[in-house]
Amino acid sequence: MPPSPQAPPSPLPTAATPPVAQTTSPSRPAAVPAVPGVQGVPAVPAEPVVPAAPAVPPAPAVPPAPAVAPPPPVQPPAPAHAPPPPKAPTAYADGPAPSFVAAGPSAAPAQDRGQDRAPAPTTAPAPTTAPAPTTASDRAPDRAAQPAPPDHPPTVLTFPTVPTGPAAKDYVGSGPPTYDAEPTALPPADPDALDDLVADTVLDGARYGAWALRAASVRGDSARYRGEPRRDSLLTARFGTGEHALILVAMATGARATPGAHRAAAEACRWIGRAVGRSHVRLAEDIRAARRGDLKSGLHRLTDRSLGRLRASAAEQGLEPEEYAATLRCLLLPADPDCRTRVFFGVGGGGLFRLRGGVWRDIEPQVGEVAGEPVVGFGSLPSETPEGDRLTMDLGITTPPNPYEPDPGPPRAPFRFRASVARPGDTLLMCTGGLADPLRGEPELSAYLTGRWSDTAPPGLAAFLADTQVRVKGYADDRTAAAVWEA
Protein backbone atom coordinates (compact mmCIF):
# COMPACT_ATOMS: atom_id res chain seq x y z
CA MET A 1 0.00 0.00 0.00
CA PRO A 2 1.44 3.22 -0.98
CA PRO A 3 1.96 5.67 1.80
CA SER A 4 -0.84 8.13 2.29
CA PRO A 5 -0.01 11.62 1.32
CA GLN A 6 0.55 14.14 4.18
CA ALA A 7 -1.73 17.08 4.58
CA PRO A 8 -0.47 20.20 2.91
CA PRO A 9 0.41 23.14 5.16
CA SER A 10 -2.44 25.50 5.94
CA PRO A 11 -2.40 28.52 3.76
CA LEU A 12 -3.52 30.70 6.69
CA PRO A 13 -0.83 31.59 9.15
CA THR A 14 -1.43 30.92 12.77
CA ALA A 15 -1.95 33.92 15.03
CA ALA A 16 1.21 34.76 16.82
CA THR A 17 1.04 35.97 20.37
CA PRO A 18 2.48 39.43 20.69
CA PRO A 19 5.58 39.64 22.85
CA VAL A 20 3.90 42.04 25.26
CA ALA A 21 1.08 39.60 26.01
CA GLN A 22 3.18 36.74 27.30
CA THR A 23 0.92 36.65 30.24
CA THR A 24 -2.48 36.12 28.75
CA SER A 25 -5.12 38.54 29.81
CA PRO A 26 -7.75 36.80 31.89
CA SER A 27 -10.50 38.71 30.18
CA ARG A 28 -9.62 37.64 26.64
CA PRO A 29 -8.31 34.05 25.79
CA ALA A 30 -5.38 33.53 23.48
CA ALA A 31 -5.89 32.36 19.89
CA VAL A 32 -6.40 28.58 19.49
CA PRO A 33 -3.80 26.91 17.20
CA ALA A 34 -4.89 24.72 14.26
CA VAL A 35 -5.60 21.09 15.13
CA PRO A 36 -3.30 18.79 13.19
CA GLY A 37 -5.10 16.44 10.86
CA VAL A 38 -5.55 12.77 11.40
CA GLN A 39 -4.07 10.40 8.93
CA GLY A 40 -6.39 10.02 6.02
CA VAL A 41 -8.48 12.98 7.10
CA PRO A 42 -7.49 16.44 6.03
CA ALA A 43 -6.68 18.84 8.86
CA VAL A 44 -9.31 21.34 9.84
CA PRO A 45 -7.97 24.83 9.50
CA ALA A 46 -8.11 27.08 12.58
CA GLU A 47 -10.60 29.87 12.78
CA PRO A 48 -9.02 33.07 11.57
CA VAL A 49 -8.35 35.63 14.35
CA VAL A 50 -9.96 39.00 13.80
CA PRO A 51 -7.62 41.74 14.97
CA ALA A 52 -9.21 43.75 17.77
CA ALA A 53 -8.56 47.30 18.91
CA PRO A 54 -5.44 47.53 20.94
CA ALA A 55 -6.23 47.60 24.62
CA VAL A 56 -4.21 49.27 27.30
CA PRO A 57 -2.61 46.53 29.35
CA PRO A 58 -3.07 46.79 33.10
CA ALA A 59 -0.19 47.92 35.20
CA PRO A 60 1.79 45.03 36.62
CA ALA A 61 1.73 44.48 40.33
CA VAL A 62 5.43 45.13 40.66
CA PRO A 63 6.69 46.98 37.57
CA PRO A 64 10.30 46.43 36.70
CA ALA A 65 12.64 49.32 37.37
CA PRO A 66 13.20 51.13 34.06
CA ALA A 67 16.70 51.88 32.95
CA VAL A 68 15.81 55.53 32.29
CA ALA A 69 13.47 57.49 34.53
CA PRO A 70 10.21 58.21 32.73
CA PRO A 71 9.31 61.83 32.11
CA PRO A 72 7.03 63.43 34.72
CA PRO A 73 3.33 63.59 34.06
CA VAL A 74 2.18 66.55 32.09
CA GLN A 75 -0.94 68.60 32.46
CA PRO A 76 -3.26 68.20 29.50
CA PRO A 77 -2.99 71.21 27.26
CA ALA A 78 -5.90 73.56 27.50
CA PRO A 79 -8.01 73.79 24.34
CA ALA A 80 -7.90 76.93 22.29
CA HIS A 81 -11.43 77.86 23.28
CA ALA A 82 -10.88 77.43 27.02
CA PRO A 83 -10.96 80.61 29.19
CA PRO A 84 -7.75 81.90 30.77
CA PRO A 85 -6.94 80.70 34.28
CA PRO A 86 -8.30 82.85 37.13
CA LYS A 87 -6.08 85.52 38.61
CA ALA A 88 -5.80 86.29 42.31
CA PRO A 89 -7.89 89.35 43.26
CA THR A 90 -6.08 92.47 44.36
CA ALA A 91 -8.93 93.85 46.46
CA TYR A 92 -11.51 92.50 48.85
CA ALA A 93 -14.53 94.25 47.44
CA ASP A 94 -16.20 90.93 46.45
CA GLY A 95 -15.53 89.22 49.72
CA PRO A 96 -12.69 86.95 50.83
CA ALA A 97 -10.36 85.87 48.08
CA PRO A 98 -10.56 82.21 46.98
CA SER A 99 -7.80 79.87 48.04
CA PHE A 100 -5.59 78.44 45.31
CA VAL A 101 -4.20 74.87 45.28
CA ALA A 102 -1.20 73.69 43.36
CA ALA A 103 -2.16 72.08 40.05
CA GLY A 104 -1.60 68.31 39.72
CA PRO A 105 -3.03 65.22 38.10
CA SER A 106 -5.35 64.51 41.01
CA ALA A 107 -6.32 68.10 41.79
CA ALA A 108 -9.76 69.24 40.76
CA PRO A 109 -9.72 72.04 38.18
CA ALA A 110 -10.53 75.50 39.49
CA GLN A 111 -14.01 76.76 38.78
CA ASP A 112 -14.19 80.02 36.86
CA ARG A 113 -16.56 82.68 38.13
CA GLY A 114 -19.24 83.51 35.55
CA GLN A 115 -17.77 81.18 32.79
CA ASP A 116 -18.22 77.53 31.79
CA ARG A 117 -15.12 75.43 31.94
CA ALA A 118 -14.08 73.48 28.82
CA PRO A 119 -14.60 69.69 28.75
CA ALA A 120 -11.50 67.69 29.64
CA PRO A 121 -10.14 65.30 26.96
CA THR A 122 -11.18 61.66 27.30
CA THR A 123 -7.73 60.15 26.77
CA ALA A 124 -4.35 61.63 27.44
CA PRO A 125 -2.07 61.98 24.41
CA ALA A 126 1.23 60.21 24.16
CA PRO A 127 3.70 61.44 26.77
CA THR A 128 6.05 64.04 25.44
CA THR A 129 8.88 65.95 26.97
CA ALA A 130 7.43 68.97 28.85
CA PRO A 131 8.46 71.29 31.67
CA ALA A 132 7.86 70.36 35.27
CA PRO A 133 4.41 71.09 36.70
CA THR A 134 3.92 74.54 38.10
CA THR A 135 3.19 75.07 41.77
CA ALA A 136 1.72 77.92 43.81
CA SER A 137 5.23 79.13 44.69
CA ASP A 138 6.20 79.36 40.98
CA ARG A 139 3.30 81.63 40.14
CA ALA A 140 3.59 85.39 40.23
CA PRO A 141 2.39 86.25 43.73
CA ASP A 142 -0.39 88.77 43.11
CA ARG A 143 -0.90 88.84 46.86
CA ALA A 144 0.24 86.90 49.89
CA ALA A 145 -1.58 83.71 50.68
CA GLN A 146 -4.24 83.99 53.35
CA PRO A 147 -2.93 82.55 56.64
CA ALA A 148 -4.97 79.87 58.24
CA PRO A 149 -7.13 81.11 61.13
CA PRO A 150 -5.54 80.36 64.49
CA ASP A 151 -7.04 77.58 66.52
CA HIS A 152 -6.58 79.54 69.74
CA PRO A 153 -7.45 83.12 70.83
CA PRO A 154 -4.76 85.74 70.19
CA THR A 155 -2.43 86.63 73.02
CA VAL A 156 -3.12 90.06 74.52
CA LEU A 157 -0.11 91.83 76.01
CA THR A 158 -0.75 93.88 79.12
CA PHE A 159 1.64 96.58 80.25
CA PRO A 160 1.73 98.17 83.69
CA THR A 161 0.21 101.64 83.81
CA VAL A 162 2.34 104.53 84.96
CA PRO A 163 0.61 106.69 87.59
CA THR A 164 0.07 110.17 86.18
CA GLY A 165 -2.00 111.71 88.95
CA PRO A 166 -5.77 112.06 89.01
CA ALA A 167 -7.76 111.65 85.83
CA ALA A 168 -8.70 114.75 83.88
CA LYS A 169 -11.99 116.37 84.86
CA ASP A 170 -14.37 118.73 83.14
CA TYR A 171 -15.49 120.54 86.28
CA VAL A 172 -15.13 120.47 90.05
CA GLY A 173 -17.27 121.79 92.83
CA SER A 174 -20.91 121.41 93.79
CA GLY A 175 -22.25 120.81 90.28
CA PRO A 176 -21.81 121.40 86.56
CA PRO A 177 -21.53 125.00 85.40
CA THR A 178 -24.38 126.76 83.67
CA TYR A 179 -22.74 127.19 80.27
CA ASP A 180 -21.46 124.59 77.85
CA ALA A 181 -17.84 123.57 77.94
CA GLU A 182 -17.22 124.24 74.23
CA PRO A 183 -17.54 127.51 72.27
CA THR A 184 -21.02 128.36 71.03
CA ALA A 185 -20.93 131.71 69.20
CA LEU A 186 -18.13 133.59 67.44
CA PRO A 187 -17.54 137.30 68.01
CA PRO A 188 -18.79 139.69 65.31
CA ALA A 189 -16.27 140.62 62.61
CA ASP A 190 -15.73 143.84 60.67
CA PRO A 191 -14.63 143.20 57.05
CA ASP A 192 -12.46 146.34 57.17
CA ALA A 193 -10.81 145.44 60.49
CA LEU A 194 -10.09 141.72 60.40
CA ASP A 195 -6.87 142.27 62.34
CA ASP A 196 -9.08 143.09 65.31
CA LEU A 197 -10.27 139.48 65.63
CA VAL A 198 -9.07 137.51 68.66
CA ALA A 199 -8.69 133.74 68.75
CA ASP A 200 -10.67 131.74 71.28
CA THR A 201 -7.56 129.99 72.66
CA VAL A 202 -3.83 130.72 72.71
CA LEU A 203 -1.26 128.11 73.78
CA ASP A 204 2.52 128.41 74.09
CA GLY A 205 5.50 126.83 75.83
CA ALA A 206 9.30 126.81 76.08
CA ARG A 207 12.24 125.27 77.93
CA TYR A 208 15.45 127.07 78.91
CA GLY A 209 18.12 126.04 81.37
CA ALA A 210 16.53 124.46 84.43
CA TRP A 211 12.91 125.50 83.85
CA ALA A 212 10.04 124.74 81.48
CA LEU A 213 7.19 127.13 80.65
CA ARG A 214 3.55 126.45 79.81
CA ALA A 215 1.19 129.32 78.99
CA ALA A 216 -2.44 129.42 77.85
CA SER A 217 -5.24 131.95 77.42
CA VAL A 218 -8.83 130.74 77.01
CA ARG A 219 -12.08 132.59 76.44
CA GLY A 220 -14.51 132.24 79.33
CA ASP A 221 -17.74 130.27 79.24
CA SER A 222 -19.83 133.43 79.39
CA ALA A 223 -18.03 135.06 76.44
CA ARG A 224 -18.24 131.83 74.45
CA TYR A 225 -21.99 131.70 74.95
CA ARG A 226 -22.63 135.39 74.22
CA GLY A 227 -20.28 135.65 71.24
CA GLU A 228 -17.96 138.19 72.89
CA PRO A 229 -14.21 138.40 72.18
CA ARG A 230 -11.65 137.23 74.72
CA ARG A 231 -10.71 140.16 76.98
CA ASP A 232 -7.48 138.51 78.12
CA SER A 233 -4.29 138.91 76.13
CA LEU A 234 -1.09 136.82 76.35
CA LEU A 235 2.42 137.66 75.16
CA THR A 236 5.52 135.43 75.37
CA ALA A 237 8.77 136.83 73.99
CA ARG A 238 12.51 136.14 74.15
CA PHE A 239 15.03 138.97 74.02
CA GLY A 240 18.71 138.20 73.49
CA THR A 241 20.50 134.94 72.77
CA GLY A 242 22.24 132.20 74.70
CA GLU A 243 22.57 132.41 78.46
CA HIS A 244 22.10 136.19 78.35
CA ALA A 245 18.56 135.87 76.95
CA LEU A 246 15.60 137.14 78.93
CA ILE A 247 12.09 135.68 78.55
CA LEU A 248 9.05 137.86 79.17
CA VAL A 249 5.57 136.52 79.87
CA ALA A 250 2.94 139.30 79.93
CA MET A 251 -0.81 139.00 80.38
CA ALA A 252 -3.46 141.70 80.53
CA THR A 253 -7.22 141.86 81.06
CA GLY A 254 -9.39 144.57 79.55
CA ALA A 255 -12.08 146.40 81.49
CA ARG A 256 -15.38 144.59 81.82
CA ALA A 257 -18.38 145.64 79.69
CA THR A 258 -16.38 147.91 77.39
CA PRO A 259 -16.38 147.49 73.59
CA GLY A 260 -12.61 147.77 73.13
CA ALA A 261 -11.49 145.73 76.12
CA HIS A 262 -9.61 143.16 74.01
CA ARG A 263 -7.79 145.91 72.11
CA ALA A 264 -6.73 147.63 75.35
CA ALA A 265 -5.35 144.35 76.76
CA ALA A 266 -3.41 143.60 73.58
CA GLU A 267 -2.00 147.13 73.45
CA ALA A 268 -0.87 146.95 77.09
CA CYS A 269 1.06 143.75 76.36
CA ARG A 270 2.68 145.27 73.29
CA TRP A 271 3.79 148.41 75.13
CA ILE A 272 5.35 146.56 78.05
CA GLY A 273 6.96 144.07 75.66
CA ARG A 274 8.56 146.91 73.72
CA ALA A 275 9.80 148.60 76.89
CA VAL A 276 11.30 145.40 78.34
CA GLY A 277 12.85 144.42 75.03
CA ARG A 278 14.72 147.69 74.72
CA SER A 279 16.11 147.36 78.25
CA HIS A 280 16.59 143.59 78.41
CA VAL A 281 20.41 143.74 78.70
CA ARG A 282 20.31 145.91 81.81
CA LEU A 283 17.42 143.95 83.30
CA ALA A 284 19.20 140.61 82.81
CA GLU A 285 22.32 141.95 84.53
CA ASP A 286 20.29 143.24 87.48
CA ILE A 287 18.55 139.87 87.86
CA ARG A 288 21.80 137.91 87.86
CA ALA A 289 23.36 140.36 90.33
CA ALA A 290 20.23 140.30 92.56
CA ARG A 291 19.88 144.10 92.56
CA ARG A 292 16.33 144.15 93.84
CA GLY A 293 16.11 147.92 94.39
CA ASP A 294 17.22 148.74 90.86
CA LEU A 295 14.87 146.14 89.42
CA LYS A 296 11.87 147.44 91.32
CA SER A 297 12.39 151.08 90.43
CA GLY A 298 13.23 150.33 86.79
CA LEU A 299 10.27 148.04 86.22
CA HIS A 300 7.94 150.46 88.01
CA ARG A 301 9.02 153.17 85.61
CA LEU A 302 8.53 150.95 82.55
CA THR A 303 5.07 149.90 83.73
CA ASP A 304 3.91 153.48 84.34
CA ARG A 305 5.19 154.50 80.93
CA SER A 306 3.34 151.66 79.19
CA LEU A 307 0.03 152.28 80.97
CA GLY A 308 0.44 156.02 80.35
CA ARG A 309 0.55 155.33 76.62
CA LEU A 310 -2.65 153.34 77.06
CA ARG A 311 -4.37 156.33 78.66
CA ALA A 312 -3.12 158.55 75.87
CA SER A 313 -4.62 156.16 73.34
CA ALA A 314 -7.95 156.38 75.15
CA ALA A 315 -7.87 160.16 74.89
CA GLU A 316 -7.17 159.92 71.15
CA GLN A 317 -10.25 157.76 70.73
CA GLY A 318 -12.40 160.11 72.79
CA LEU A 319 -12.83 157.60 75.60
CA GLU A 320 -12.53 157.92 79.32
CA PRO A 321 -9.39 156.38 80.86
CA GLU A 322 -11.41 153.70 82.68
CA GLU A 323 -13.12 152.72 79.43
CA TYR A 324 -9.81 151.85 77.80
CA ALA A 325 -7.84 150.34 80.68
CA ALA A 326 -6.34 146.96 81.49
CA THR A 327 -4.63 145.12 84.28
CA LEU A 328 -1.06 144.02 83.58
CA ARG A 329 0.95 141.14 85.04
CA CYS A 330 4.44 140.14 83.93
CA LEU A 331 7.07 137.52 84.69
CA LEU A 332 10.79 137.76 83.84
CA LEU A 333 12.71 134.48 83.44
CA PRO A 334 16.47 134.48 82.72
CA ALA A 335 17.77 131.76 80.40
CA ASP A 336 20.96 131.39 82.46
CA PRO A 337 20.80 127.91 84.08
CA ASP A 338 22.83 129.14 87.09
CA CYS A 339 20.32 131.92 87.86
CA ARG A 340 17.14 130.84 89.64
CA THR A 341 15.74 134.32 90.35
CA ARG A 342 12.18 134.82 89.10
CA VAL A 343 10.81 138.37 88.95
CA PHE A 344 7.13 139.25 88.99
CA PHE A 345 5.72 142.76 88.53
CA GLY A 346 2.47 144.32 87.42
CA VAL A 347 -0.61 146.40 88.16
CA GLY A 348 -4.09 145.14 88.90
CA GLY A 349 -5.75 141.99 90.20
CA GLY A 350 -4.83 138.41 89.55
CA GLY A 351 -2.84 135.74 91.32
CA LEU A 352 0.69 134.54 91.95
CA PHE A 353 0.98 131.07 93.51
CA ARG A 354 3.75 128.62 94.25
CA LEU A 355 3.38 124.85 94.56
CA ARG A 356 6.11 123.40 96.78
CA GLY A 357 6.01 120.03 98.49
CA GLY A 358 2.42 119.40 97.41
CA VAL A 359 1.11 122.59 99.06
CA TRP A 360 -0.09 125.76 97.31
CA ARG A 361 0.96 129.10 98.72
CA ASP A 362 -0.46 132.46 97.68
CA ILE A 363 2.60 134.72 97.24
CA GLU A 364 0.79 137.66 95.62
CA PRO A 365 2.51 140.79 96.96
CA GLN A 366 0.15 142.87 99.06
CA VAL A 367 0.28 146.64 98.81
CA GLY A 368 -0.57 148.89 101.77
CA GLU A 369 -1.20 145.98 104.10
CA VAL A 370 -0.73 146.88 107.77
CA ALA A 371 -0.17 144.07 110.25
CA GLY A 372 -0.81 144.89 113.89
CA GLU A 373 -1.04 148.24 115.60
CA PRO A 374 1.48 151.02 114.90
CA VAL A 375 4.19 151.51 117.56
CA VAL A 376 6.13 154.63 118.50
CA GLY A 377 9.11 155.12 116.28
CA PHE A 378 7.99 152.60 113.69
CA GLY A 379 4.90 153.25 111.61
CA SER A 380 3.28 155.93 113.78
CA LEU A 381 3.28 159.71 113.35
CA PRO A 382 5.72 161.80 115.42
CA SER A 383 4.33 163.52 118.49
CA GLU A 384 5.46 167.01 117.32
CA THR A 385 6.89 168.77 114.33
CA PRO A 386 10.57 169.69 114.02
CA GLU A 387 9.59 173.24 114.99
CA GLY A 388 8.14 171.99 118.29
CA ASP A 389 4.47 172.29 117.45
CA ARG A 390 2.28 169.64 118.96
CA LEU A 391 0.12 167.73 116.45
CA THR A 392 -3.60 167.64 117.11
CA MET A 393 -5.91 164.73 116.53
CA ASP A 394 -7.01 164.04 112.95
CA LEU A 395 -10.79 164.24 112.96
CA GLY A 396 -11.04 162.60 109.50
CA ILE A 397 -12.56 165.66 107.84
CA THR A 398 -12.09 165.51 104.07
CA THR A 399 -10.36 168.50 102.56
CA PRO A 400 -12.48 170.04 99.80
CA PRO A 401 -10.91 169.93 96.34
CA ASN A 402 -9.17 172.98 94.95
CA PRO A 403 -11.27 174.41 92.12
CA TYR A 404 -8.15 175.70 90.38
CA GLU A 405 -6.47 172.29 90.06
CA PRO A 406 -7.48 169.72 87.42
CA ASP A 407 -9.29 166.59 88.44
CA PRO A 408 -6.66 163.95 89.19
CA GLY A 409 -9.03 161.23 87.99
CA PRO A 410 -9.62 157.86 89.58
CA PRO A 411 -6.88 156.52 91.79
CA ARG A 412 -4.45 154.28 89.97
CA ALA A 413 -3.83 150.71 90.95
CA PRO A 414 -0.66 150.21 92.98
CA PHE A 415 2.44 148.67 91.49
CA ARG A 416 3.26 145.12 92.61
CA PHE A 417 6.74 143.59 92.61
CA ARG A 418 8.27 140.36 93.89
CA ALA A 419 11.63 138.71 93.26
CA SER A 420 12.05 135.18 94.60
CA VAL A 421 14.55 132.36 94.31
CA ALA A 422 13.14 129.10 92.95
CA ARG A 423 14.00 125.63 94.23
CA PRO A 424 14.12 122.37 92.30
CA GLY A 425 10.65 120.85 92.18
CA ASP A 426 8.80 124.17 92.53
CA THR A 427 5.93 125.19 90.27
CA LEU A 428 5.29 128.93 89.93
CA LEU A 429 1.86 129.98 88.63
CA MET A 430 0.95 133.48 87.45
CA CYS A 431 -2.65 133.98 86.29
CA THR A 432 -5.38 136.53 85.75
CA GLY A 433 -8.45 136.86 87.93
CA GLY A 434 -10.38 134.31 85.87
CA LEU A 435 -8.28 131.50 87.37
CA ALA A 436 -7.06 133.14 90.57
CA ASP A 437 -10.58 133.67 91.94
CA PRO A 438 -11.69 130.00 91.69
CA LEU A 439 -8.32 128.85 93.03
CA ARG A 440 -8.92 130.92 96.14
CA GLY A 441 -12.64 130.15 96.38
CA GLU A 442 -12.88 126.44 95.52
CA PRO A 443 -10.59 124.13 97.51
CA GLU A 444 -11.38 121.20 95.22
CA LEU A 445 -9.79 123.01 92.26
CA SER A 446 -6.54 123.67 94.09
CA ALA A 447 -6.46 120.03 95.26
CA TYR A 448 -7.03 118.82 91.71
CA LEU A 449 -4.22 120.97 90.29
CA THR A 450 -1.95 119.82 93.11
CA GLY A 451 -2.30 116.23 91.95
CA ARG A 452 -1.85 117.17 88.31
CA TRP A 453 1.16 119.49 88.66
CA SER A 454 3.14 118.00 91.54
CA ASP A 455 5.34 115.99 89.18
CA THR A 456 8.74 117.51 88.41
CA ALA A 457 8.18 116.85 84.69
CA PRO A 458 5.91 119.48 83.14
CA PRO A 459 2.73 118.37 81.37
CA GLY A 460 2.35 118.60 77.63
CA LEU A 461 0.74 121.61 76.03
CA ALA A 462 -2.58 119.82 75.50
CA ALA A 463 -2.64 118.50 79.07
CA PHE A 464 -1.83 121.94 80.50
CA LEU A 465 -4.62 123.48 78.44
CA ALA A 466 -7.07 120.88 79.72
CA ASP A 467 -6.02 121.56 83.33
CA THR A 468 -6.51 125.31 83.01
CA GLN A 469 -10.01 124.75 81.59
CA VAL A 470 -11.36 122.76 84.54
CA ARG A 471 -14.51 124.72 85.28
CA VAL A 472 -16.13 125.76 88.55
CA LYS A 473 -19.74 126.80 88.86
CA GLY A 474 -20.06 130.54 89.31
CA TYR A 475 -16.73 131.41 87.62
CA ALA A 476 -17.11 132.04 83.87
CA ASP A 477 -14.50 134.73 83.06
CA ASP A 478 -11.56 134.42 80.69
CA ARG A 479 -8.59 132.46 82.01
CA THR A 480 -4.94 133.16 81.32
CA ALA A 481 -2.19 131.26 83.13
CA ALA A 482 1.58 130.79 82.89
CA ALA A 483 3.28 128.08 84.93
CA VAL A 484 7.01 127.43 85.36
CA TRP A 485 8.34 124.00 86.37
CA GLU A 486 11.76 123.96 88.01
CA ALA A 487 14.00 120.98 87.32
Side-chain angles (χ1 to χ4, degrees):
M1 177 181 292
S4 56
Q6 297 181 358
S10 177
L12 296 176
T14 60
T17 304
V20 181
Q22 295 179 1
T23 303
T24 308
S25 173
S27 61
R28 187 176 183 85
V32 180
V35 179
V38 184
Q39 185 177 5
V41 182
V44 181
E47 184 180 0
V49 179
V50 180
V56 180
V62 181
V68 180
V74 184
Q75 283 286 348
H81 60 274
K87 293 182 62 178
T90 57
Y92 297 92
D94 298 332
S99 59
F100 296 93
V101 185
S106 60
Q111 183 176 359
D112 297 337
R113 188 183 305 173
Q115 296 180 353
D116 296 331
R117 48 185 289 268
T122 56
T123 58
T128 57
T129 304
T134 59
T135 59
S137 60
D138 298 331
R139 299 174 182 172
D142 293 337
R143 67 174 181 85
Q146 290 287 340
D151 55 354
H152 58 83
T155 304
V156 180
L157 300 179
T158 58
F159 298 95
T161 58
V162 179
T164 56
K169 295 183 179 180
D170 178 57
Y171 66 90
V172 294
S174 58
T178 305
Y179 301 100
D180 294 336
E182 301 299 332
T184 302
L186 291 172
D190 184 358
D192 297 328
L194 294 179
D195 295 340
D196 195 39
L197 294 178
V198 181
D200 177 89
T201 303
V202 176
L203 187 62
D204 206 350
R207 179 187 293 272
Y208 288 95
W211 55 266
L213 171 68
R214 299 290 183 266
S217 182
V218 184
R219 189 164 55 138
D221 293 345
S222 176
R224 284 177 168 180
Y225 178 78
R226 302 177 187 277
E228 299 174 354
R230 176 168 48 89
R231 294 185 296 115
D232 281 7
S233 181
L234 174 65
L235 172 67
T236 54
R238 174 181 61 88
F239 304 106
T241 59
E243 296 183 355
H244 300 282
L246 185 65
I247 289 81
L248 168 69
V249 182
M251 55 185 66
T253 302
R256 190 185 300 272
T258 56
H262 61 288
R263 289 191 295 269
E267 190 172 348
C269 289
R270 286 195 300 268
W271 283 118
I272 194 62
R274 183 176 301 180
V276 170
R278 292 175 177 176
S279 307
H280 76 277
V281 176
R282 175 66 182 274
L283 291 173
E285 293 177 355
D286 291 343
I287 293 176
R288 284 194 296 268
R291 291 191 283 265
R292 300 168 60 94
D294 295 343
L295 282 171
K296 183 177 181 179
S297 59
L299 292 174
H300 193 177
R301 183 173 60 254
L302 296 180
T303 304
D304 285 346
R305 188 180 304 171
S306 300
L307 296 180
R309 293 181 180 274
L310 196 62
R311 289 188 291 268
S313 180
E316 292 176 359
Q317 302 177 34
L319 301 175
E320 296 294 332
E322 61 271 12
E323 296 178 355
Y324 199 75
T327 63
L328 182 62
R329 308 178 69 80
C330 302
L331 194 62
L332 292 179
L333 305 170
D336 188 356
D338 297 331
C339 181
R340 288 188 174 269
T341 302
R342 314 294 180 238
V343 178
F344 161 80
F345 67 96
V347 172
L352 183 67
F353 305 91
R354 181 176 60 202
L355 178 61
R356 176 179 294 175
V359 178
W360 283 104
R361 182 183 177 188
D362 191 345
I363 58 175
E364 176 80 8
Q366 304 296 327
V367 178
E369 181 180 3
V370 178
E373 296 293 332
V375 296
V376 177
F378 185 82
S380 61
L381 296 176
S383 59
E384 59 182 17
T385 62
E387 290 79 11
D389 297 335
R390 304 283 298 182
L391 297 178
T392 58
M393 181 182 301
D394 186 6
L395 300 179
I397 300 175
T398 304
T399 304
N402 190 345
Y404 301 101
E405 294 181 358
D407 185 11
R412 300 178 183 177
F415 176 76
R416 302 174 186 269
F417 172 86
R418 185 183 184 93
S420 58
V421 178
R423 298 179 185 177
D426 287 356
T427 301
L428 183 65
L429 174 64
M430 179 183 70
C431 55
T432 57
L435 183 58
D437 294 342
L439 269 177
R440 296 187 177 107
E442 180 55 56
E444 190 174 347
L445 178 60
S446 60
Y448 172 77
L449 293 181
T450 300
R452 297 284 294 179
W453 293 352
S454 293
D455 193 1
T456 55
L461 292 179
F464 178 77
L465 177 62
D467 293 339
T468 56
Q469 291 186 107
V470 176
R471 302 180 300 153
V472 180
K473 189 173 183 179
Y475 300 92
D477 287 341
D478 300 346
R479 291 185 180 184
T480 302
V484 181
W485 275 262
E486 302 287 345

